[in-house]
Amino acid sequence: MSFFQLSLIGAVALLGPLLALSQKWHLPVVLGQLLAGIAIGRTGLGLVDSSDPTFTFVADVGFALIMFVAGTHVPVRDQAIRPALGGGALRAGIAAVLAAAVGIVIAFAFGTGHAPLYIVLLASSSAALVLPIVDSLRLTGPKVLTTTAQVAVADIACIVALPLAVDPPNAPRAAVGAAVVAACAAVLFFVLRWLERSGTRGRMHDVSEDRKFALELRIQLALLFALSGLAVAGHVSIMLAGFSFGLVVAAVGEPRRLAHQLFAVSDGFLGPVFFVWLGASLDLRTLAGSPRMILLGICLGFGTLLVHGSLRLLGQPLPLAVLAASQLGVPVAAATIGSQLHLLEPGEAAAMILGALISIGASTIAGSRAARMFTQPAPAPAGKPSEGGPTVAA
């Protein structure tokens, strides 16, 4: 990969913010970046080679960082969400049972033999997509909190289960690797918490800010990459390493300055590189030439909506149920891991991404609907009283 190609990747990745510019539709930035990668990759013009080792490695770094940032977005320190964990976990469990039934049917109908993988896909949610939508729309209330807890539980469970589901014959080895990564993340939690409570982290922060050392960012990235290296050595997706370390940082408490630095590194550079790489690695021509895989993608997408939408029968508002069906990280990881290990049929990775895009489209509509039902009033300007009443989305 050359600097000209890297410049091209950075330029086409701007399609993400351009598509997400309109707040009316609440489109995720990653959608445009995926489409940009498709346009210049294997499906489109062939201007970049997704198999290039340098491109692949930089994309892997971006993937680890994306999942790390997603983990930091889980509000594990929020006292209000803890009472909602029981209800959220129950809903995530029921969704998993329904996903098992639907996933087995889909795998049998298409004869792929990937029922465990489809079950994980159908049961998954995306905290990286749902939580920013909840924040941007200012959705509040007990039902929103329970849905947030449901999404967090489902995301964590499916991230852990994915390596086992993608390659069942090597599930024991992957389980050991996952356990080692989780244990190391737990050790990091206690170490970082001790540094926080002892005041060491605060003193280091003051020195770093005064001397412009960016010590916290350097240390966090070093730990993230070490955990990712351990995951690779243990034949586990770096997705688990990134997300688990993100949860650790969220539990200890992420300094605002560090959050801004991570946002710049992830959303400004490495994240777009990963999503462009992912789009470039997909060969949608095989999907277009295979009506069977197109139908598989449609079934996965609408199957996800069916699984999560069925929770409406348990009293969850339909817009929130559909919003919880939004998925990205798990399908992306499944497509990435499955393609790298050559475990998927031609077009199957693209079919999984198609299913994720269907869920994103539905969650976009659901988010607009939820904004009319659960949005809190906008803060009144200084010196002016609040007019009260819910803020209605345009």
Side-chain angles (χ1 to χ4, degrees), residues 157-180:
C158 290
I159 286 172
V160 173
L162 180 63
L164 313 180
V166 171
D167 191 11
N170 293 314
R173 182 180 63 179
V176 172
V180 171

Side-chain angles (χ1 to χ4, degrees), residues 304-316:
T304 300
L305 298 178
L306 174 63
V307 166
H308 291 271
S310 297
L311 297 179
R312 173 69 180 87
L313 300 176
L314 299 179
Q316 185 177 29

Side-chain angles (χ1 to χ4, degrees), residues 39-303:
I40 66 173
R42 297 176 64 189
T43 301
L45 302 176
L47 300 179
V48 294
D49 181 9
S50 61
S51 64
D52 181 275
T54 303
F55 192 8
T56 300
F57 180 73
V58 175
D60 284 341
V61 174
F63 187 36
L65 196 55
I66 287 169
M67 297 314 302
F68 171 62
V69 173
T72 63
H73 285 169
V74 179
V76 293
R77 290 168 58 89
D78 189 345
Q79 297 290 340
I81 199 175
R82 295 180 183 178
L85 280 175
L90 176 61
R91 288 179 180 174
I94 294 174
V97 173
L98 296 174
V102 177
I104 291 173
V105 170
I106 292 177
F108 177 79
F110 288 89
T112 61
H114 293 155
L117 175 58
Y118 296 163
I119 292 171
V120 173
L121 291 177
L122 294 169
S124 69
S125 295
S126 176
L129 284 176
V130 175
L131 297 183
I133 290 177
V134 170
D135 290 339
S136 65
L137 297 180
R138 299 191 299 275
L139 305 183
T140 59
K143 294 182 178 180
V144 174
L145 282 175
T146 303
T147 299
T148 302
Q150 171 194 340
V151 170
V153 170
D155 207 4
I156 294 170
C158 290
I159 286 172
V160 173
L162 180 63
L164 313 180
V166 171
D167 191 11
N170 293 314
R173 182 180 63 179
V176 172
V180 171
V181 170
C184 290
V187 171
L188 286 175
F189 167 74
F190 289 109
V191 172
L192 293 177
R193 188 178 65 171
W194 177 81
L195 292 173
E196 182 71 26
R197 293 181 174 179
S198 66
T200 303
R201 202 280 307 168
R203 292 190 294 271
M204 181 185 66
H205 170 83
D206 293 338
V207 173
S208 177
E209 186 174 15
D210 182 60
R211 302 291 301 278
K212 312 299 181 185
F213 286 160
L215 291 177
E216 290 165 309
L217 177 63
R218 294 170 186 249
I219 293 172
Q220 299 285 21
L221 289 180
L223 293 174
L224 170 63
F225 297 150
L227 204 60
S228 299
L230 184 63
V232 172
H235 303 280
V236 181
S237 171
I238 56 177
M239 179 185 191
L240 177 60
F243 196 77
S244 59
F245 187 48
L247 290 176
V248 167
V249 173
V252 174
E254 182 184 32
R256 182 176 300 178
R257 185 163 175 258
L258 175 61
H260 292 165
Q261 292 169 336
L262 287 171
F263 173 82
V265 175
S266 176
D267 289 45
F269 174 48
L270 291 171
V273 170
F274 168 73
F275 285 112
V276 171
W277 172 85
L278 178 64
S281 66
L282 298 175
D283 189 358
L284 296 185
R285 294 176 182 176
T286 61
L287 183 62
S290 176
R292 173 170 165 266
M293 286 296 141
I294 294 177
L295 184 59
L296 173 61
I298 293 173
C299 288
L300 289 174
F302 283 97

Side-chain angles (χ1 to χ4, degrees), residues 331-343:
V332 164
T336 303
I337 299 170
S339 298
Q340 291 174 343
L341 298 179
H342 306 289
L343 299 173

Side-chain angles (χ1 to χ4, degrees), residues 314-325:
L314 299 179
Q316 185 177 29
L318 185 59
L320 295 181
V322 175
L323 184 62

